[in-house]
Amino acid sequence: MRIVRRQPVVPWYAATRALLLLLALNVLPYFNRGAVTGDVKLYHQWITESFDHGRFPLDDQKWQYPPGAAAPLLLPHWLPGSYYVLFFLMCLAADVAVFAMLLRAARRGDPEQPSPAGPWLWTLGIAAIGPMAYGRYDLVVTASAVAALTVTLRSKRSTAVARGVLIGVGAFLKLWPAAFLFGAPKRRNGRLLFGVAAATAAIPTLALELFFPGVLSFLTNQKSRGIQIESVFATPFLAGKWFGWSGHIENTQYGAYEYIGPGVSLAGKAALVSTAVGVVVLLLIRRRVAVRGGFPFPAMMADVGFAGVLVFVVTSRVLSPQYLVWLLGVAAVCLARRETLMRTPAWLVLGAVSVTQLIFPLFYHSLRGGQIYSGLILMGRNAALVVAAVLALRALWRATGPASGPVLSGVLLGEDRRDGVRLVQDEGAPLDREVGRGGVEHGPERVVDGVVGPGRVGADSLVERD
């Protein structure tokens, strides 16, 4: 493929993934083998003790997943060979699929000068997480999520259906891709996408509930969880240990180290309130979009989805390393388009990810012991994620507000500059070049101009509207 030959990121990607696979397979030694295989061992235990006997592991408090999670856990078990080796290879395949989709998205955004930022962020980010990324099934979920954001068929209707199916599959596996629905297009195709996504996730879930009563318990079985030591809301207790806070850290039944002591319950309630506030802000952004008649430029679904996932991650009571895989996948999709509003938040996420292995597993013992240096690293990581979330919401709020020129029925007139992107007149056309494959000579004047200079051709040129 031409895009592969012209992208210098490809050999770097291949080299880093070969290294990660060798580390995961223990061909090369990793300094904490348990950090790579711990979750895979738990998955295999669920299979041998529960799934092989025709039931879900509902009596284990560590099972906190939608019922669709059983599929990627069982797939390596159904194939001949070592479960561990096949699980790592499955994750590698998902990783490669994400990278290929990012290259394709970059080329579709600008055939002559594809943006290398998305593939590079994915390459560097997963490498920074290390072989732990292959020891969780989150890469499979992320592949479904990236596919939902990048798939483009020949019509708007078929694209909406495809995206809805993929979002529903992602939510069936691990819920968080449902955040993309905040960025669904307006009117008929938006309703179609939302309905297909809901049906794809709900129908198999309800069917499984009929045969395996209790599989919906994942919706409520985390209500008693405390504050995991890596989460943003653990910061007061992390610092409090340095100044005599009387609480302690305990490895709970949920399989995570959590703070136990004064103020923890209040922090848990504050986390839930913060999540609700973030959801309200995202809903208000959608309301502003409705008033204006549509999103102001193409690929806005990825930007809104990234902001939504950021909100859920930073306001969660748990923040495990695999959560960062989600953020990297969606951030990379955003950066595959030069006109994204998420450039700064996306690179902040990469900066936060860069210290992941320092926090877990390298300094995790000292973190639990209350050491200052490891605590400061964690605080810096979490601060970067919080700033990224605030900047992402701020960028969406500004982009969906009143335009500097008049807005008539969602058609932006005049000129408006936001975050280095100049929006110019649009005559109204399909989203994302989803109808046919015509170039700029077959369509209206481009919406996004001045991003890569006057020589740019083939860029997404249409206002995202239904």
Side-chain angles (χ1 to χ4, degrees):
M1 293 174 59
R2 182 178 62 175
I3 181 67
V4 171
R5 293 197 303 268
R6 293 175 57 180
Q7 289 284 0
V9 66
V10 173
W12 286 95
Y13 174 84
T16 57
R17 282 2 183 224
L19 177 61
L20 291 186
L21 183 61
L22 292 175
L23 289 170
L25 294 174
N26 207 28
V27 175
L28 295 177
Y30 187 64
F31 58 85
N32 190 321
R33 182 66 182 161
V36 180
T37 61
D39 279 35
V40 185
K41 182 179 180 181
L42 178 62
Y43 301 156
H44 192 255
Q45 178 183 325
W46 285 337
I47 290 171
T48 57
E49 296 181 1
S50 296
F51 288 116
D52 279 350
H53 300 282
R55 62 178 184 268
F56 279 77
L58 301 177
D59 54 345
D60 189 342
Q61 289 293 329
K62 295 174 184 171
W63 174 262
Q64 302 154 18
Y65 310 114
L73 304 189
L74 285 167
L75 179 59
H77 181 61
W78 289 333
L79 299 174
S82 165
Y83 181 80
Y84 288 83
V85 172
L86 291 170
F87 188 91
F88 296 142
L89 290 177
M90 176 185 70
C91 292
L92 174 63
D95 185 358
V96 172
V98 171
F99 185 70
M101 287 185 282
L102 291 172
L103 290 176
R104 179 178 178 273
R107 184 185 182 192
R108 193 173 66 241
D110 190 341
E112 294 303 315
Q113 192 177 356
S115 172
W120 269 115
L121 183 137
W122 180 252
T123 298
L124 298 175
I126 297 300
I129 292 176
M132 291 184 296
Y134 288 179
R136 315 288 191 270
Y137 82 95
D138 295 83
L139 274 169
V140 177
V141 186
T142 304
S144 173
V146 171
L149 294 174
T150 58
V151 63
T152 301
L153 303 180
R154 293 189 62 85
S155 72
K156 291 194 295 181
R157 183 179 180 84
S158 59
T159 297
V161 171
R163 289 179 177 175
V165 168
L166 290 166
I167 291 172
V169 169
F172 184 52
L173 295 174
K174 206 165 186 179
L175 282 186
W176 63 266
F180 298 166
L181 296 176
F182 287 110
K186 302 301 293 181
R187 295 187 289 276
R188 183 173 56 188
N189 283 328
R191 291 192 295 270
L192 177 63
L193 186 153
F194 191 95
V196 170
T200 303
I203 291 174
T205 300
L206 295 176
L208 286 171
E209 175 68 19
L210 293 176
F211 293 98
F212 304 97
V215 296
L216 290 177
S217 61
F218 74 95
L219 296 172
T220 58
N221 67 359
Q222 297 193 53
K223 62 182 180 181
S224 299
R225 293 200 67 159
I227 301 295
Q228 189 214 19
I229 65 174
E230 295 175 66
S231 67
V232 171
F233 282 87
T235 302
F237 312 110
L238 177 64
K241 292 291 289 183
W242 305 338
F243 300 100
W245 178 65
S246 60
H248 65 281
I249 294 173
E250 184 177 308
N251 189 2
T252 66
Q253 60 185 340
Y254 299 101
Y257 285 92
E258 299 178 356
Y259 283 108
I260 307 294
V264 173
S265 177
L266 180 62
K269 292 181 176 64
L272 293 175
V273 170
S274 298
T275 301
V277 170
V279 169
V280 168
V281 173
L282 289 167
L283 290 174
L284 287 174
I285 289 171
R286 277 201 68 81
R287 175 60 183 167
R288 289 159 70 88
V289 168
V291 171
R292 127 176 234 151
F295 287 112
F297 70 90
M300 197 75 170
M301 187 175 183
D303 282 10
V304 179
F306 178 56
V309 177
L310 263 173
V311 166
F312 291 134
V313 168
V314 301
T315 62
S316 173
R317 290 172 291 176
V318 181
L319 210 171
S320 299
Q322 58 264 33
Y323 289 24
L324 303 177
V325 175
W326 316 345
L327 292 173
L328 287 171
V330 188
V333 175
C334 293
L335 292 187
R337 307 267 184 161
R338 296 183 184 275
E339 65 270 26
T340 180
L341 300 175
M342 297 294 118
R343 193 166 301 278
T344 299
W347 291 119
L348 278 172
V349 165
L350 180 60
V353 170
S354 67
V355 298
T356 295
Q357 292 184 77
L358 297 180
I359 297 169
F360 180 84
L362 186 58
F363 295 145
Y364 205 62
H365 180 75
S366 64
L367 182 66
R368 300 199 311 266
Q371 294 295 322
I372 292 179
Y373 66 88
S374 54
L376 290 175
I377 294 173
L378 177 59
M379 285 182 177
R381 191 278 302 271
N382 287 348
L385 292 176
V386 171
V387 171
V390 172
L391 291 179
L393 291 175
R394 176 176 176 268
L396 292 176
W397 188 266
R398 294 178 62 190
T400 55
S404 60
V407 178
L408 301 174
S409 301
V411 178
L412 189 65
L413 303 178
E415 179 176 299
D416 183 23
R417 287 188 178 271
R418 291 187 185 93
D419 294 340
V421 178
R422 180 159 61 93
L423 304 177
V424 296
Q425 182 175 351
D426 174 65
E427 303 295 337
L431 161 65
D432 232 5
R433 292 167 55 201
E434 290 170 356
V435 179
R437 301 293 296 173
V440 291
E441 70 275 11
H442 301 124
E445 199 173 31
R446 287 179 297 177
V447 170
V448 180
D449 187 23
V451 176
V452 294
R456 180 184 181 188
V457 294
D460 283 292
S461 57
L462 309 169
V463 170
E464 180 161 1
R465 45 187 306 217
D466 191 342

